[in-house]
């Protein structure tokens, strides 16, 4: 008798039940819902919230899609409804819910991965021009926060007040900032963009 090879294929999705709703969650971030009325699976309609995160509604409660996708593939690491646990998008794109783009984070770690603020005068994260009145000069100041402590470094840039049009930030200042972010923020270090 000839042996028949058995092929085991891994499902491209994880099945998940939230309350009375059956879901299929794909590693790409797609979520399907089983509709009992039509006896079939359909893609869930997602809506962005005010902050840009994609959400779905289940039994009158809205849940962020990134939490559902991460939970489906990592059920033992956190409780889906625990608001203290945050899910961070590595590439900072709130609509990219691919499982490889998501990671569990504390609020502090999630904040570290933010983009450069729009009100940043020099356009570089964690760097700002500061006037030192006592010596009548200005400098580039690097500030990195870690566990409630501020770590700073200053690089003298010029005499007198801060100019209206800032000169380019020296590479040495950017490299020092990057080293400080790597040291204090680790894998959540974000240099801007």
């Amino acid at each position: 008798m000839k042996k028949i090879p058995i092929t085991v294929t891994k499902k491209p999705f994880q099945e998940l039940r939230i309350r009375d709703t059956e879901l299929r969650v794909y590693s790409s971030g797609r979520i399907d819902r089983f509709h009992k009325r039509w006896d079939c699976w359909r893609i869930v309609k997602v809506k962005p919230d005010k902050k840009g995160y994609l959400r779905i509604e289940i039994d009158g409660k809205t849940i962020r899609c990134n939490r559902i996708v991460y939970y489906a593939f990592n059920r033992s690491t956190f409780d889906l409804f625990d608001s203290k646990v945050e899910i961070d998008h590595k590439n900072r794109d709130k609509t990219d819910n691919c499982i490889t783009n998501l990671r569990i984070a504390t609020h502090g770690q999630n904040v570290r991965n933010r983009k450069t603020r729009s009100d940043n005068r020099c356009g570089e994260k964690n760097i700002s021009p500061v006037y030192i009145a006592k010596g009548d000069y200005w400098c580039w100041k690097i500030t990195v926060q870690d566990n409630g402590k501020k770590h700073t470094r200053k690089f003298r840039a010029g005499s007198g007040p801060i100019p209206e049009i800032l000169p380019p930030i020296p590479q040495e200042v950017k490299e020092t900032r990057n080293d400080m972010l790597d040291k204090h923020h680790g894998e959540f270090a974000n240099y801007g963009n």
Side-chain angles (χ1 to χ4, degrees):
M1 182 185 229
K2 190 175 180 182
K3 284 188 176 181
I4 301 171
I6 300 172
T7 350
V8 179
T9 57
K10 192 175 178 183
K11 288 193 273 186
F13 56 84
Q14 293 289 322
E15 292 182 352
L16 182 64
R17 184 181 200 93
I18 300 175
R19 298 187 174 162
D20 287 333
T21 306
E22 291 181 55
L23 301 174
R24 281 185 178 166
V25 182
Y26 293 81
S27 60
S28 65
R30 182 179 118 194
I31 302 172
D32 292 347
R33 174 184 286 166
F34 184 75
H35 290 271
K36 294 175 187 173
R37 184 173 157 188
W38 296 291
D39 194 34
C40 67
W41 292 91
R42 292 196 174 173
I43 296 175
V44 173
K45 291 182 183 177
V46 295
K47 295 179 183 176
D49 64 9
K50 292 177 185 176
K51 294 183 178 181
Y53 291 97
L54 299 178
R55 292 178 168 255
I56 66 169
E57 189 174 316
I58 296 176
D59 294 337
K61 182 173 177 136
T62 58
I63 304 172
R64 286 185 179 171
C65 294
N66 62 339
R67 294 184 71 80
I68 293 171
V69 172
Y70 191 84
Y71 180 75
F73 289 89
N74 302 282
R75 292 177 204 203
S76 63
T77 56
F78 82 110
D79 176 16
L80 181 63
F81 298 104
D82 182 2
S83 59
K84 293 176 187 172
V85 177
E86 296 186 18
I87 304 301
D88 179 49
H89 292 84
K90 294 176 187 176
N91 69 1
R92 297 177 305 283
D93 179 359
K94 297 174 184 176
T95 61
D96 182 1
N97 291 321
C98 178
I99 190 64
T100 57
N101 185 43
L102 302 176
R103 61 185 166 192
I104 200 164
T106 64
H107 179 70
Q109 291 169 327
N110 204 354
V111 168
R112 293 172 185 164
N113 194 25
R114 286 187 182 161
K115 294 180 181 181
T116 305
R117 291 173 46 130
S118 60
D119 63 348
N120 184 311
R121 186 166 172 205
C122 68
E124 285 287 338
K125 192 173 178 184
N126 301 90
I127 301 174
S128 57
V130 176
Y131 177 67
I132 310 296
K134 190 174 183 179
D136 189 34
Y137 68 92
W138 71 279
C139 62
W140 295 110
K141 181 180 178 183
I142 303 169
T143 307
V144 175
Q145 291 190 359
D146 184 24
N147 295 327
K149 292 182 180 180
K150 283 187 179 182
H151 305 276
T152 60
R153 288 276 314 266
K154 293 179 185 170
F155 291 83
R156 190 176 179 139
S159 57
I162 300 169
E164 284 291 320
I165 299 172
L166 292 171
I169 299 171
Q171 192 62 32
E172 177 188 10
V173 175
K174 291 180 183 180
E175 288 172 3
T176 302
R177 183 265 326 258
N178 294 352
D179 291 343
M180 288 174 69
L181 285 172
D182 287 340
K183 178 182 177 184
H184 296 288
H185 291 180
E187 70 175 298
F188 291 89
N190 175 7
Y191 312 122
N193 305 334

